[in-house]
Amino acid sequence: MVPLFNYYHALNKLKRKRERYISKYDLPDNIKSLLKAPLPGLDDDLFEVDYVALDFETTGFYPEQDQILSVGYLPLSNQKILVSEAAETFIKSSEKIKAETAVINHIVPEMLEKGLPLDEVMDMLFSAITGKVLIAHGCIIEKRFLDYYIAKHFQLPPLPLLWVDTLSIEKSLTMHKGTHKSADFRLASTRARHGLPEYSAHGALIDALATAELYLALLKKRFAGTKASFRHLKIE
Amino acid sequence: MPQTLIPNIHDFLSKIDPFDKLPRELQRQIAGSIKITYLAKGEQVHFGGEHELRYLYVIRTGSMEQRKRSGMLRAKLSEEDLFGFTFLEEHKEDAEDYSATAIESTLLYLIPHAELLKILEEHPFFAEHFASNAQVRLHSALDVVWSDSEKGIFVKKVSDVASDKIAVVQSYTPIQEVARLIIEVCSPTAVVMEEGVIVGVITDRDMTKRVILAGVDIQSPVSEVMTLNPLTIGPNDLVLKASSLMMQHNIRSLPVVENNNVLGVLTTTHLVRNNRMQAVFLIQKINYAETAQDLALLTSERQAIFEALVEGQVNGDVIGHVMTMIMDAYNRRLIQMAEDHFGKVPCEYAWIVAGSHARNEIHMLSDQDSAIILSDNATASDRLYFQHFAMWICNALDACGFPLCTGKFMAANPKWCQPLRVWKAYYDKWVANPEYDCLLNVSVFLETRWLCGNQQFVSELQSHLFADIEKSNGFLPSLVRDSISVNPPLGIFNSLVLEKTGEHSNTLNIKRFALTLLVDLARIYGLSSGSQQTETTARFIHAHEQNILSEDMLKNVLGAFRFITQIRLSHQLEDLKEGREPDNQIDPNIFGSFERKHLKDAFRIISDLQDSAKLRFIRE
């Protein structure tokens, strides 16, 4: 019974998916090593796994019509968020960004002019996340834009990466209390519920940091007094 | 890649001491080097072994407490507080001799020690901010920040601080005349006398409230509007006591009075030199504490006060008094809480303290010695009430850092929670058969001091004891015999008396071989001269006044007592600073020649006094 259970666990499904992906497609070197890096085991301690918290600032929700403005990420390992290894890069773009986006993101064309080309930023990102579990708040946006880039650039299907999503963990936690209908799951509101400080500034890196802190807080709450393992964590 | 900035981390750090003293560029460098972690409530910081990096910790949100290995509270920390400074002091081996636990969810910034050292090495000018801060934070708990002048005022005598300007009027003096005097003398308070006795006070505020507002005729006698039975303070009392009284009763001035002579007045203006003073008012905080848990949180402040007093070379007697007042405040507040908790007390009682607490000689090691005297008409169920009551108080005191008495000389022990007649019978038995019953019982309860409840019970019991002693021929001699069975370590520096084995090898127990001997002798001399006083110094002085102790001997003995007390307190301070549990075990090798000489002298004086006591009290 237990082995069968393990077999169908999302993490093991992801492992098999990765193996198929590697054997089926001809991959560039960096993507190959990204996917060849071992995934954590079902019973690995969640606090000892290496993570990267990630946030994209974009002009909208749809990669077909919107663009990535900036990428921010920083590692989390052994319960410590490593600010010294944080990265935030703006993406050089020829297209004009929408005025409303500029207001929301506080990103103005001058900042983007100083940015790096998307390919360069993505290469850096791939190497930074190799061997890491990805953390995002509402990872659907990051996933979508990443997958779109992979498809356009390498003509590959979506990458089988291991994501944990603070938004969906928070949802599963509050669901037990039956209050999720009215709840506000935005990053700032979720953080406030967990007693984390308010960050007035906004940006890809600050949001990635805010997400990493939230992830630690959620893990501590979710696994208080019990062993924290992937077996019992919702993954994406 | 250039270092990426996270403005909110930088903003936070740049506002807190000592980072606010650094130039922006260094702040950025530090902000860029941090690691962030999150502790759930109850979780401890892992200081890690040799292999792990060490950090300076900054609390971003939440709160934490530090405890020493002994469990003693070291500090309570909250947002913007820092800890882990010890690391900056030449890699102290015992730097992690305390634990740090989150008392609520805490977001913690970790600044790598190595990174800070590197920055400070490059910019030695700023190193001082961190070094001095380390001192401050190590040596006293965070909540208590005293400047030296503030520290000083509390251990001064009232007469040193009070003003000698005070209006003294008669009870028949017209109100308007009193007001005129108050203005003329520049005193906010007038003391009202009647036939040479103080009967009341009136303040300028009372004038506004009770005269103008109430529309009283200003030609009426002042006795109509004065406050009856005013609180006063003696010129030799400690300012700490005066301030505590003022806080407790919410009054702004206290007449200074000695033998019905009005000497002056002490007002809050004399005390409140700046608003920081509020922080030191531990006693006020104790009085306002709502729960036993709140009280327990004040331990680190108490310890800081103790440390400041010892460090400031304050006389040991004064330290004992201050620490005793604080313990009294804890004990009284807990008694009030227990009365609320268990409901109205079912019969009359008195809560008494004994041993060093009764002698006003409390220090950081003192445990509890207490008892309850019940009314003789207490029923069995009343006694049950008081057992629960006392148990609750004793346990709460324990949680506040006053350990339970190992000999169980506590009100929580049913044996020491008895009606007055049983107590009288105890004393009869002990005094009649000192050899028969364990003498320790008597010696603890030979010093008792009233703390709460019916004071009459205590004085009645004390008179009974003195009558017993006077009737007995054998009691004092047996106290003396018992006391001189232990001799001071005259050969201390020849390592003759040091503990040979175990944890305390090659150290001397300064309490057992010196202080206790003096306390015992003071008791013998005090009781034999009919002194009702409990303090060691006061007992010797009384004995001298009754001509049973020569002036020369008195001076020597007081000097020895003071010196040994100082050594013990300094030793405890060292222990506390090093994060060890304070004890009485002194290593004689640490002394320089000055101390050695004085210590030898002190031991010799004790030995001489033992001989005199033997001659005087044991007529064999």
Side-chain angles (χ1 to χ4, degrees):
Chain A
M1 203 48 198
V2 171
L4 200 62
F5 236 65
N6 290 352
Y7 186 83
Y8 287 111
H9 191 280
L11 186 63
N12 286 332
K13 283 203 248 176
L14 181 71
K15 270 184 189 161
R16 296 193 294 276
K17 205 168 163 190
R18 270 194 182 195
E19 282 156 20
R20 284 198 302 275
Y21 197 100
I22 296 168
S23 58
K24 192 164 167 190
Y25 304 105
D26 188 21
L27 302 174
D29 284 351
N30 60 346
I31 300 293
K32 195 181 274 172
S33 47
L34 173 62
L35 294 182
K36 277 200 156 169
L39 282 166
L42 270 185
D43 292 312
D44 281 5
D45 188 335
L46 286 171
F47 288 111
E48 285 172 8
V49 174
D50 290 336
Y51 302 89
V52 165
L54 174 71
D55 186 68
F56 290 175
E57 297 289 295
T58 62
T59 55
F61 297 121
Y62 307 104
E64 301 78 15
Q65 64 189 60
D66 294 310
Q67 320 144 40
I68 304 176
L69 296 170
S70 66
V71 170
Y73 52 86
L74 77 182
L76 160 64
S77 66
N78 273 320
Q79 299 198 44
K80 291 185 188 74
I81 300 162
L82 309 177
V83 175
S84 56
E85 291 174 43
E88 180 169 44
T89 340
F90 293 98
I91 289 150
K92 200 178 216 157
S93 163
S94 49
E95 293 176 53
K96 279 216 148 111
I97 62 164
K98 288 187 251 169
E100 68 215 62
T101 313
V103 173
I104 292 169
N105 295 320
H106 295 277
I107 293 174
V108 291
E110 289 74 36
M111 295 162 95
L112 301 182
E113 275 163 30
K114 285 187 212 144
L116 299 173
L118 182 63
D119 292 348
E120 208 173 306
V121 176
M122 282 298 168
D123 281 350
M124 280 179 349
L125 178 65
F126 290 139
S127 95
I129 66 173
T130 300
K132 310 289 172 75
V133 177
L134 291 165
I135 310 170
H137 190 76
C139 67
I140 184 81
I141 299 289
E142 281 75 18
K143 259 179 150 171
R144 234 187 241 171
F145 277 86
L146 207 56
D147 291 342
Y148 182 77
Y149 174 81
I150 293 288
K152 244 187 121 182
H153 198 76
F154 300 116
Q155 292 78 48
L156 286 169
L159 289 173
L161 295 174
L162 176 54
W163 292 82
V164 288
D165 185 345
T166 47
L167 192 148
S168 87
I169 296 171
E170 168 72 2
K171 269 189 180 163
S172 68
L173 278 180
T174 47
M175 216 128 73
H176 297 300
K177 298 187 215 147
T179 52
H180 67 293
K181 269 178 206 157
S182 55
D184 173 356
F185 290 107
R186 279 175 300 177
L187 183 55
S189 327
T190 309
R191 283 173 58 87
R193 271 200 294 282
H194 292 278
L196 290 167
E198 189 184 335
Y199 289 155
S200 49
H202 189 56
L205 184 53
I206 286 181
D207 286 354
L209 170 68
T211 305
E213 290 174 357
L214 176 61
Y215 178 68
L216 276 177
L218 287 172
L219 279 194
K220 299 251 157 124
K221 186 158 282 183
R222 164 71 180 81
F223 293 101
T226 61
K227 189 179 180 294
S229 69
F230 275 103
R231 187 184 292 281
H232 304 292
L233 184 74
K234 190 167 185 299
I235 61 171
E236 307 297 318
Chain B
M1 195 198 311
Q3 204 172 41
T4 315
L5 292 175
I6 302 189
N8 41 358
I9 296 175
H10 180 216
D11 288 351
F12 176 77
L13 278 185
S14 67
K15 280 183 207 123
I16 61 179
D17 175 73
F19 304 102
D20 58 350
K21 317 268 187 322
L22 304 181
R24 230 179 139 66
E25 188 39 46
L26 291 190
Q27 289 176 353
R28 279 192 191 163
Q29 222 172 312
I30 293 172
S33 75
I34 71 156
K35 300 178 185 180
I36 301 173
T37 196
Y38 177 92
L39 300 173
K41 183 179 169 177
E43 209 176 334
Q44 277 198 0
V45 169
H46 293 282
F47 286 120
E50 284 168 46
H51 310 295
E52 268 204 65
L53 284 168
R54 294 175 166 191
Y55 303 98
L56 176 66
Y57 297 84
V58 188
I59 297 181
R60 177 63 180 82
T61 51
S63 59
M64 305 195 60
E65 65 179 23
Q66 291 177 302
R67 279 184 188 278
K68 301 192 171 169
R69 212 166 258 180
S70 63
M72 194 181 277
L73 193 66
R74 185 176 184 269
K76 222 185 132 198
L77 307 166
S78 56
E79 193 165 318
E80 300 190 2
D81 281 334
L82 286 76
F83 63 100
F85 271 105
T86 349
F87 304 166
L88 294 171
E89 294 196 332
E90 36 189 275
H91 297 272
K92 268 195 176 177
E93 285 309 310
D94 54 354
E96 292 91 16
D97 252 13
Y98 61 85
S99 64
T101 309
I103 47 183
E104 56 182 322
S105 302
T106 298
L107 192 65
L108 205 54
Y109 287 178
L110 287 63
I111 303 171
H113 180 204
E115 188 73 21
L116 257 186
L117 279 185
K118 202 181 90 203
I119 292 173
L120 296 179
E121 232 162 68
E122 284 163 18
H123 306 271
F125 177 71
F126 300 107
E128 211 171 291
H129 294 303
F130 288 83
S132 66
N133 221 321
Q135 295 290 320
V136 172
R137 287 175 203 263
L138 268 178
H139 295 170
S140 57
L142 277 171
D143 328 21
V144 189
V145 190
W146 303 16
S147 74
D148 281 348
S149 59
E150 287 164 350
K151 194 192 320 183
I153 191 171
F154 296 100
V155 295
K156 281 190 177 151
K157 284 200 239 163
V158 166
S159 56
D160 295 338
V161 179
S163 149
D164 57 3
K165 290 178 187 149
I166 183 159
V168 181
V169 300
Q170 301 301 318
S171 57
Y172 52 77
T173 311
I175 294 169
Q176 189 178 32
E177 173 66 10
V178 175
R180 199 186 55 76
L181 266 169
I182 283 181
I183 298 301
E184 196 179 286
V185 183
C186 258
S187 146
T189 305
V191 175
V192 186
M193 310 285 287
E194 198 172 288
E195 290 167 2
V197 177
I198 298 167
V199 291
V201 289
I202 184 141
T203 67
D204 45 5
R205 276 163 65 90
D206 295 340
M207 291 281 188
T208 317
K209 206 167 114 190
R210 297 183 199 161
V211 181
I212 301 174
L213 206 61
V216 171
D217 180 3
I218 55 170
Q219 296 310 327
S220 311
V222 67
S223 55
E224 284 185 11
V225 290
M226 69 186 183
T227 305
L228 292 165
N229 306 318
L231 289 164
T232 62
I233 190 88
N236 292 319
D237 284 321
L238 291 179
V239 171
L240 186 73
K241 183 178 175 189
S243 355
S244 149
L245 266 177
M246 288 158 86
M247 292 285 179
Q248 217 173 321
H249 298 277
N250 196 22
I251 50 177
R252 286 151 181 256
S253 57
L254 269 178
V256 183
V257 174
E258 192 175 35
N259 302 326
N260 259 311
N261 287 322
V262 183
L263 304 176
V265 65
L266 187 75
T267 67
T268 41
T269 358
H270 296 125
L271 302 176
V272 188
R273 297 256 161 83
N274 65 55
N275 53 16
R276 256 198 181 178
M277 203 190 75
Q278 292 295 335
V280 312
F281 265 109
L282 178 58
I283 290 182
Q284 189 199 17
K285 288 190 191 169
I286 292 171
N287 292 335
Y288 284 146
E290 296 275 346
T291 65
Q293 285 81 4
D294 291 349
L295 276 182
L297 292 176
L298 298 172
T299 308
S300 59
E301 272 184 65
R302 177 165 56 92
Q303 189 182 320
I305 289 173
F306 175 79
E307 290 180 9
L309 290 172
V310 179
E311 231 159 31
Q313 304 275 311
V314 173
N315 187 332
D317 279 359
V318 175
I319 298 179
H321 265 114
V322 173
M323 299 311 288
T324 302
M325 280 182 57
I326 293 174
M327 185 169 178
D328 283 357
Y330 272 96
N331 205 340
R332 286 208 181 93
R333 184 72 193 105
L334 283 168
I335 290 171
Q336 289 167 353
M337 288 179 189
E339 286 181 1
D340 289 343
H341 183 71
F342 291 98
K344 196 178 166 333
V345 289
C347 68
E348 291 226 66
Y349 79 105
W351 182 284
I352 58 175
V353 295
S356 63
H357 193 179
R359 291 197 304 272
N360 294 324
E361 287 164 9
I362 291 294
H363 48 88
M364 277 317 280
L365 272 182
S366 301
D367 58 7
Q368 309 175 31
D369 293 311
S370 61
I372 286 178
I373 308 171
L374 294 170
S375 154
D376 279 336
N377 60 25
T379 64
S381 79
D382 294 349
R383 289 183 52 181
L384 200 61
Y385 169 97
F386 278 103
Q387 268 170 37
H388 290 300
F389 177 83
M391 188 74 79
W392 188 88
I393 292 165
C394 291
N395 284 330
L397 274 173
D398 185 39
C400 292
F402 300 102
L404 297 173
C405 172
T406 47
K408 298 208 170 84
F409 298 112
M410 291 180 293
N413 181 346
K415 198 171 171 190
W416 312 129
C417 176
Q418 294 287 349
L420 184 57
R421 67 184 136 73
V422 176
W423 275 105
K424 286 180 181 166
Y426 280 161
Y427 279 124
D428 292 345
K429 194 174 77 175
W430 293 334
V431 175
N433 313 293
E435 265 91 14
Y436 171 78
D437 216 321
C438 176
L439 256 173
L440 186 61
N441 288 356
V442 210
S443 71
V444 168
F445 290 115
L446 279 182
E447 285 102 47
T448 55
R449 190 163 56 82
W450 168 85
L451 198 75
C452 255
N454 188 334
Q455 200 161 1
Q456 189 55 39
F457 289 168
V458 185
S459 31
E460 198 177 324
L461 186 60
Q462 257 162 6
S463 311
H464 187 85
L465 169 66
F466 280 100
D468 273 349
I469 293 174
E470 208 161 327
K471 273 183 282 175
S472 151
N473 291 323
F475 183 66
L476 283 177
S478 62
L479 280 188
V480 175
R481 250 178 255 119
D482 185 59
S483 164
I484 63 175
S485 66
V486 177
N487 299 120
L490 293 172
I492 176 178
F493 299 110
N494 309 326
S495 333
L496 291 176
V497 284
L498 305 180
E499 316 251 341
K500 292 293 184 286
T501 50
E503 195 188 343
H504 301 303
S505 62
N506 288 321
T507 59
L508 171 82
N509 187 318
I510 192 91
K511 181 186 177 195
R512 177 158 178 245
F513 287 102
L515 273 176
T516 303
L517 303 182
L518 277 171
V519 168
D520 285 348
L521 287 164
R523 181 182 303 121
I524 291 159
Y525 276 88
L527 290 176
S528 72
S529 64
S531 165
Q532 303 233 0
Q533 263 157 324
T534 55
E535 286 159 36
T536 301
T537 306
R539 279 173 159 169
F540 281 130
I541 292 172
H542 189 265
H544 166 64
E545 285 166 358
Q546 300 300 309
N547 288 320
I548 60 171
L549 196 64
S550 75
E551 183 167 355
D552 203 32
M553 196 52 149
L554 174 72
K555 278 185 184 162
N556 280 339
V557 166
L558 291 186
F561 182 63
R562 214 160 278 160
F563 184 73
I564 293 171
T565 304
Q566 201 75 43
I567 287 207
R568 177 206 218 182
L569 294 174
S570 309
H571 172 69
Q572 292 184 359
L573 177 68
E574 281 305 304
D575 280 345
L576 287 172
K577 280 199 203 163
E578 299 291 321
R580 289 190 299 260
E581 193 163 358
D583 62 23
N584 291 312
Q585 298 294 138
I586 311 257
D587 176 2
N589 293 320
I590 62 164
F591 294 119
S593 67
F594 175 83
E595 283 99 341
R596 282 176 181 234
K597 187 172 167 295
H598 279 71
L599 211 51
K600 277 194 208 165
D601 284 346
F603 292 149
R604 207 162 33 232
I605 291 165
I606 299 174
S607 179
D608 287 351
L609 189 61
Q610 284 190 330
D611 288 345
S612 306
K614 200 163 143 190
L615 280 177
R616 177 175 289 275
F617 300 107
I618 310 178
R619 301 173 194 101
E620 281 163 332

